Amino acid sequence: MREDYANAGKVSTNVKSLLKQLGLPADILRRIAVACYEAEINMIIHSYGGEVVLEISEEGIYLLFKDTGPGIADVEKAMKPGYSTASGKALEFGFGAGMGLPNIKRVSDTFDLKTSPEGTCLRIGFHI
Ligand SMILES: Nc1ncnc2c1ncn2[C@@H]1O[C@H](COP(=O)(O)OP(=O)(O)O)[C@@H](O)[C@H]1O
Ligand SMILES: [Mg+2]
């Protein structure tokens, strides 16, 4: 998954079409797609790889992004709009605007970020 640019965006596309079949409102679908896209791109450009888990329950839709490192050194900085450590290929591919995490936080209803040098775990939720 690391630097797997060919598959960038596939998770969010699949999640969106799956949830659309469940008849979720367009507004929630849009927010989930935006957040999922940004989080999966972060795994590709910043992490060593990991997994995405989609959880559908009565309370809402939850997405878990779990990767194997190197983690976020300074979360407070990382949450600031425009802050990015992206380099090289990521920038070539047009990523690295530093808006991913702030946008994920903005469009999600719950946002839970845990990170260490061993990896990052981001769990976001959307009420339905
Ligand atoms: N899964 C991750 N693993 C390691 N670092 C991350 C991860 N997600 C985000 N980051 C760090 O947080 C910064 C800000 O992320 P983001 O707002 O999405 O901006 P961008 O991805 O454009 O750099 C990144 O530049 C990176 O340093
Ligand atoms: Mg990003």
Side-chain angles (χ1 to χ4, degrees):
M1 191 150 170
R2 182 181 197 185
E3 302 232 329
D4 184 6
Y5 294 99
N7 286 310
K10 277 199 184 158
V11 176
S12 58
T13 303
N14 290 339
V15 164
K16 193 179 180 187
S17 71
L18 192 150
L19 294 177
K20 195 172 180 180
Q21 285 168 28
L22 296 182
L24 284 188
D27 167 64
I28 297 180
L29 284 177
R30 205 174 307 119
R31 290 190 291 122
I32 292 173
V34 166
C36 186
Y37 179 79
E38 290 296 347
E40 71 175 295
I41 295 294
N42 279 353
M43 283 177 85
I44 293 170
I45 67 180
H46 304 301
S47 91
Y48 303 150
E51 56 169 24
V52 183
V53 178
L54 170 66
E55 207 184 300
I56 304 169
S57 77
E58 299 216 330
E59 295 104 81
I61 308 291
Y62 294 89
L63 278 161
L64 182 74
F65 300 84
K66 199 169 156 51
D67 69 51
T68 55
I72 304 175
D74 188 334
V75 173
E76 206 180 307
K77 263 192 194 165
M79 292 305 302
K80 289 215 172 91
Y83 176 83
S84 176
T85 61
S87 63
K89 260 202 170 150
L91 295 178
E92 263 174 55
F93 277 85
F95 302 122
M99 293 306 295
L101 288 176
N103 277 335
I104 295 168
K105 173 118 202 211
R106 181 175 54 85
V107 300
S108 59
D109 295 320
T110 66
F111 180 97
D112 179 33
L113 178 65
K114 290 192 183 76
T115 186
S116 80
E118 279 75 55
T120 298
C121 190
L122 173 67
R123 188 169 189 268
I124 51 175
F126 301 83
H127 303 319
I128 46 177

